[in-house]
Every structure is written in structure tokens, then in C-alpha cells.
Amino acid sequence: MLLGLQWGDEGKGKIVDVLAPKYDLIARFQGGPNAGHTLEFDGKKFVLNTIPSGIFEENTMNLIGNGVVIDPIILKRELDNLKAAGHDLLAKGNLVLAKKAHLILPTHQLLDAASEKKMGDGKIGSTLKGIGPTYMDKTGRNGLRIGDLTLPDFKERYARLVEKHLNILSHYGEVEDFSAKEQAFFDALDYLKQFKFVDSEHFVNQYMKEGKTILAEGAQGTLLDIDFGSYPFVTSSNTTSAGACTGLGIAPTKIGEVFGIFKAYCTRVGGGPFPTELENETGEQLRQLGREFGATTGRARRCGWIDIPALKYAIMLNGVTQLIMMKADVLDTFEKIYACTHYNYNGETIDYFPYDINTIKPEPVFEEIDGWNQDLTGIRENNEIPEKLSSYITYLEKHLEVPIKFLSVGPDRVQTLEL
Ligand code: GDP
Ligand code: IMO
Ligand code: MG
């Protein structure tokens, strides 16, 4: 499986696309259209929200797993855009949907917005895609699932859930008209019914039985995990490796390699703690050079230096076996770069991610590292890697105790080196 080790947007989409030829199946296991996974090749750029990043590989099947929450309107829009670009997934038959995946209703989005508005300055900074309220209905045992679409009483079930939502919404104030969205929702569902719905647990286990290979594609990042992220500034799913087991129906004993992906620096969108954040010119420089603006919402991403304690935490939680370092090229022009190795926290020096990080701000302790001051974006061979970048890689491997196996030096598929 492949997962983000930071706060999302590490470049998961790009790398899944690069690795896809090696796999028979790519499977998304959690999250929903709060994700924005960017792929670039042959001068074209695609942003995928719900659809797995393996769709451009001819012989690879793609599954939206049971752990994912699906907004039919957004999914249809993604499919329409792909079709317009010459990739008709319905015709190709390379996408299947889990029957047990939950549906995001238009009223889930209204609930998301109402809840965030109510929180004022303390808001999560949600993408407002209805993710939290949909997972709440899932665990509250009220949710609607893709498989329910074929039930004769689907509309009544829908109406019952909407009634519950409207009751809650009335406590927040006036409810805006959502009839147009509702129409679009049902139109999109009619369209999606043409796709194959599967029991993802049987689907993936059959693949494994036949000796086929599967890559589970994570969304968001470890530090946004509902249990282990900087709660409550997190998303509502398990973004960690355990999430792939429940989100697809794969037993823990069947998990093989765990690719952990991280940027050569660090970013975060939305609220919550970010110890190495740079609220200065350097942060702005990282934002501009790395084009750190959200793929889904267009929001400016907060930027900072790499945080080794946070990465170590993520590696431990996920059981990472191989690391992938992204966006090294963004640091090309920096004379010096910095890595946080410890925090000063409560008068102590610590090298782990503390529980009460939201209330007591850890002060990062940085080590200065020489920059390579060279354009990396044209590099295609390992022997072209500048010595100072090799030293930075070795330095990180020493701290993280896991080998860095891939290096990304630009957004395009071809700007990827296997080390
Ligand atoms: P994801 O959510 O993890 O798939 O990542 P996003 O697509 O949201 O954000 C990553 C951004 O960085 C996208 O705009 C990618 O095109 C871009 N990107 C990926 N890898 C690299 C890289 O090595 N260098 C540069 N400069 N950009 C990259
Ligand atoms: P990908 O897959 C970065 C953040 C939001 C917010 C918090 C909760 O592209 O890496 P939610 O919409 O889930 O209620 O938002 O999580 N967030 C992401 N940040 N990348 C993502 O996905 C994100 N998905 C959610 O900004 O702070
Ligand atoms: Mg993203």
C-alpha cells in the first residue's frame, strides 16, 4: 500500500500512477472527494478526487473500496471530465465500486458547512465536502450505501435520512435550498448504476488468490488520521495502514510492502498544529516554488521545514518498509535547508509527537543542511544526483531507519528516480 506520512498532498497520485504498471489492481480505501490527487504526463494534467490513480494504465483495474465515502455528483463530474479527455471508464470497464461504500448526500455537505460555521475560529478547516457528517452516519448506523441503490425503497431511505439532517440543521439556523443539488444527486446515481458494484472484500481476496498484485492508495495523510492525527484537526477516517484492512477487506497478514510518501519539506491545509510551520518569507518561497495551493479547494497550503519526529511517528504507525521523497526540486535554490530533529516541549527535549500538541506548542529544534543549489528537474539518472542531495537522503535515512527508494524531482511521471 502507499500512504501519505504528513498532512496530505505529498504526491500520492503521481506515484500511484508511476507504480500502476506493476499492479493488477489499484484500490482507494478511505476518504472521499476531500482528496485531490494530481497526475501529470505527456503534457496533460488530471486531478482525481474519488477515482483511483491507476486508471491511465491499460491493464490495471481500479476499485473504490468500502471505506471510501462517495459523492455521486463529484464522481460523475470526474468521470465526465475524463471522458471528455478521451478516457471513457465506462467503456473501458476499468473501474468498479464497492457496494458497501457510503454515499455523501447534499445535506451532509450542509451539515459540514453549518458545523464549521458554528465553530468560528476553532474550525477544522474542512474541505466542506460532507466527509465528517457522512462518516458520522456510517458509525451512527444511519448511512446509505452504494449497494442500497438497487433496493426498491431507496428513495424512502433517502427521505428518512434527509429528514434527520433537516432536523439537525434547523438548530443551526435557516436551511438553504438544495433542490438543484438533490436533482443532480439522483441524476448522478442513475449514471453510476451503469458501473459494476462489487463486494470489495471478495473482489480483493479473489485477486490475491489468483496471485495478482494490489496497490492500496491512501488519501489524506497520517497526521490527519482520526485516531492518531492532531485531533480534532483531522479528517474522519483512518488514513493509516490499518485503514486499508477495514477499507477494503484485506487481512493484516496479507499486507506486503508499505510505501510511505513525504515531501522534502512539509505542508498542511486547514487548521491545527504544525510545529515546523514558517509564517515568513521562507514559507512564502516554499509555497510559490512548490505551487502549494490545494488541488481540491485552491486554498494556500501552510508551508514549513521537514519534521523528523512527526515522520518517525508516521513510519511507526504504518509499518513503513520503503520511503518515497517528493518535491526535492522545490528546494533547488535554497543555500541552506533545515530539518527538525527534536522539539523543546514543556521545558524538555523530546523527539516524538506529543499528545497535547494542540495546547502546548512544541518549539522545533533544527539542524542546518547544505543545499545542492542545482536544478533537479531534468535529472533522469541516479548518477546525476548532486552529492549534497545524496547526503540529505542518507541523513534522513539514518534518522528514519527506513530506506528511501524513490525520489521525485518534478510533477511529471518521468521526473521520478528509483534509487
Ligand atoms: P496528493 O494529494 O498526495 O496526490 O498530492 P497533490 O496532487 O494534492 O499535491 C501534490 C502536488 O505536487 C501536485 O500539484 C503535483 O503535481 C505536484 N508534484 C508531485 N510531485 C512533485 C515533485 O516531485 N516536484 C514538484 N515540483 N511538484 C510535484
Ligand atoms: P489528499 O488526499 C490535504 C484536511 C482539510 C482539513 C481536514 C479535515 O489530497 O492528500 P475534511 O474535508 O476531511 O473534513 O477536512 O483535513 N484535508 C486534507 N488536506 N490533503 C487532503 O487530501 C485532505 N483531505 C482533507 O484541509 O484540515
Ligand atoms: Mg491532494
Side-chain angles (χ1 to χ4, degrees), residues 9-14 36-38 40 295 301 326-327 329-330 408-411:
D9 303 327
E10 295 90 350
K12 297 175 290 290
K14 172 188 159 164
H37 294 181
T38 316
E40 286 191 37
R301 296 177 185 145
M326 307 299 289
K327 299 188 103 163
D329 56 295
V330 173
S408 176
V409 294

Side-chain angles (χ1 to χ4, degrees), residues 24 32 44 87 98 103 116-117 153 172 183-184 188-189 191 199-200 212 231 240 249 280 315 327 336 341 353 374 388:
D24 297 305
K44 285 174 287 187
H87 301 276
L103 288 169
E116 283 282 85
K117 194 169 163 207
D153 64 344
Y172 285 107
Q183 187 56 50
L189 287 180
Y191 178 75
D199 290 301
S200 51
K212 292 179 177 166
Y231 192 91
T240 39
N280 58 18
I315 288 167
K327 299 188 103 163
K336 300 280 177 196
T341 51
F353 212 60
Q374 188 184 318
K388 290 202 165 122

Side-chain angles (χ1 to χ4, degrees), residues 4 7-12 28 30-38 48-49 112 116 123-133 135 218-221 224 232-237 267-272 295-297 299 301-302:
W7 278 286
D9 303 327
E10 295 90 350
K12 297 175 290 290
R28 272 279 307 267
Q30 47 68 236
N34 46 351
H37 294 181
T38 316
L48 302 173
N49 303 114
D112 215 356
E116 283 282 85
K123 69 178 181 186
I124 308 296
S126 164
T127 60
L128 303 178
K129 303 292 177 197
I131 305 296
Y135 279 113
Q220 290 79 54
L224 288 169
F233 300 98
V234 293
T235 191
S236 297
S237 61
T267 64
R268 170 162 210 174
V269 207
T296 302
T297 58
R299 288 181 293 175
R301 296 177 185 145
R302 300 156 63 190

Side-chain angles (χ1 to χ4, degrees), residues 132-294:
T134 305
Y135 279 113
M136 280 164 73
D137 273 333
K138 176 178 177 176
T139 50
R141 297 162 294 183
N142 289 300
L144 292 175
R145 302 186 290 178
I146 281 282
D148 295 342
L149 287 181
T150 51
L151 297 176
D153 64 344
F154 178 75
K155 283 226 157 132
E156 287 84 63
R157 286 167 186 249
Y158 169 83
R160 271 202 300 278
L161 188 52
V162 169
E163 191 188 344
K164 182 193 142 194
H165 292 166
L166 292 177
N167 260 322
I168 303 171
L169 283 165
S170 68
H171 295 283
Y172 285 107
E174 208 170 309
V175 184
E176 68 181 73
D177 176 37
F178 61 97
S179 47
K181 269 232 145 148
E182 196 164 54
Q183 187 56 50
F185 176 81
F186 281 103
D187 290 348
L189 287 180
D190 276 341
Y191 178 75
L192 293 181
K193 274 184 199 161
Q194 302 173 84
F195 283 82
K196 193 172 173 194
F197 298 165
V198 300
D199 290 301
S200 51
E201 64 278 35
H202 293 303
F203 193 79
V204 294
N205 279 286
Q206 186 58 34
Y207 261 72
M208 289 189 291
K209 213 171 179 178
E210 290 169 14
K212 292 179 177 166
T213 49
I214 303 173
L215 180 66
E217 172 179 0
Q220 290 79 54
T222 300
L223 303 175
L224 288 169
D225 182 271
I226 182 73
D227 281 280
F228 300 109
S230 45
Y231 192 91
F233 300 98
V234 293
T235 191
S236 297
S237 61
N238 281 115
T239 58
T240 39
S241 47
C245 297
T246 55
L248 293 173
I250 292 185
T253 47
K254 299 276 170 59
I255 302 290
E257 295 292 328
V258 180
F259 296 106
I261 177 165
F262 66 100
K263 288 184 205 189
Y265 51 101
C266 198
T267 64
R268 170 162 210 174
V269 207
F274 181 179
T276 61
E277 183 171 17
L278 294 164
E279 291 175 282
N280 58 18
E281 217 175 281
T282 312
E284 188 53 35
Q285 228 176 324
L286 286 171
R287 182 152 40 247
Q288 294 306 329
L289 291 167
R291 297 204 197 93
E292 295 296 355
F293 299 90

Side-chain angles (χ1 to χ4, degrees), residues 351-363:
D351 69 347
Y352 59 88
F353 212 60
Y355 172 79
D356 42 5
I357 191 162
N358 291 336
T359 44
I360 311 170
K361 210 173 170 231
E363 185 201 321

